[in-house]
Each structure stands twice: as structure tokens, then as C-alpha cells.
Amino acid sequence: ALPISMSVANVLKTLSKTYQIFAISHQPQLSSCAHQHFVVTKNHENESFVKCLDIKEREIELARMISGENISEEAVQFAQSLLQSNHS
């Protein structure tokens, strides 16, 4: 059986062929399946900012989601493998 996050990712991927899907997730497995990846940040004045990530930024963001603020080399490698397996 597939992990829950992967089965949800597969359903969203199927739906995205017909509909525009906008999902908010903290699961790197789900986020790695997206056609586009955005990150939302806040500054000290409580203003929010949205940024569309390029492929290198996606890799770093997925690695951060995996290992936290201190990104490990293993997390980077796992993020790379997620992106490769979902976009090949």
C-alpha cells in the first residue's frame, strides 16, 4: 500500500489534468509532485510574501521540510530523489 501522502499526491495529480489545484502542505512527498512550488514567509512586521521557487530553491525547501532549519546532506539527497522520481 502507498503511504497516505503519496496516494493523496496521486489523486491531486490526476485532478490537476482537468482542474487547477492549489494545495497547502508541509509534506515534502506531496510538495515534490507539484508542477509549481511556492513558499510563504512573514517578516517582523507580520507581512506575508509568496515566492515561486525555481528547481534549486525547491530542492532546498524540500530538504528544509525534511530535516528542519539545519539542512543535512541526506535531506538534500532525498529531496533530489523526490523531485527526480516525480518529474521524470
Side-chain angles (χ1 to χ4, degrees), residues 28-47:
Q29 295 87 348
L30 182 61
S31 298
S32 68
C33 294
H35 292 116
Q36 290 183 301
H37 188 157
F38 297 87
V39 67
V40 179
T41 58
K42 276 189 174 182
N43 65 14
H44 296 295
E45 289 80 41
N46 223 20
E47 298 171 309

Side-chain angles (χ1 to χ4, degrees), residues 6 20 22-23 28 31 39 61 65-68 70 74 80 85:
M6 290 309 292
Q20 182 175 8
F22 189 85
S31 298
V39 67
E61 180 60 17
M65 292 167 81
I66 294 163
S67 69
N70 297 320
E74 293 83 8
Q80 290 169 340
S85 66

Side-chain angles (χ1 to χ4, degrees), residues 6-55:
M6 290 309 292
S7 59
V8 169
N10 290 333
V11 169
L12 291 176
K13 194 171 242 185
T14 300
L15 288 171
S16 73
K17 293 176 182 171
T18 307
Y19 302 99
Q20 182 175 8
I21 306 293
F22 189 85
I24 299 171
S25 177
H26 297 279
Q27 297 179 341
Q29 295 87 348
L30 182 61
S31 298
S32 68
C33 294
H35 292 116
Q36 290 183 301
H37 188 157
F38 297 87
V39 67
V40 179
T41 58
K42 276 189 174 182
N43 65 14
H44 296 295
E45 289 80 41
N46 223 20
E47 298 171 309
S48 296
F49 300 90
V50 178
K51 181 177 187 214
C52 184
L53 303 179
D54 65 26
I55 190 66

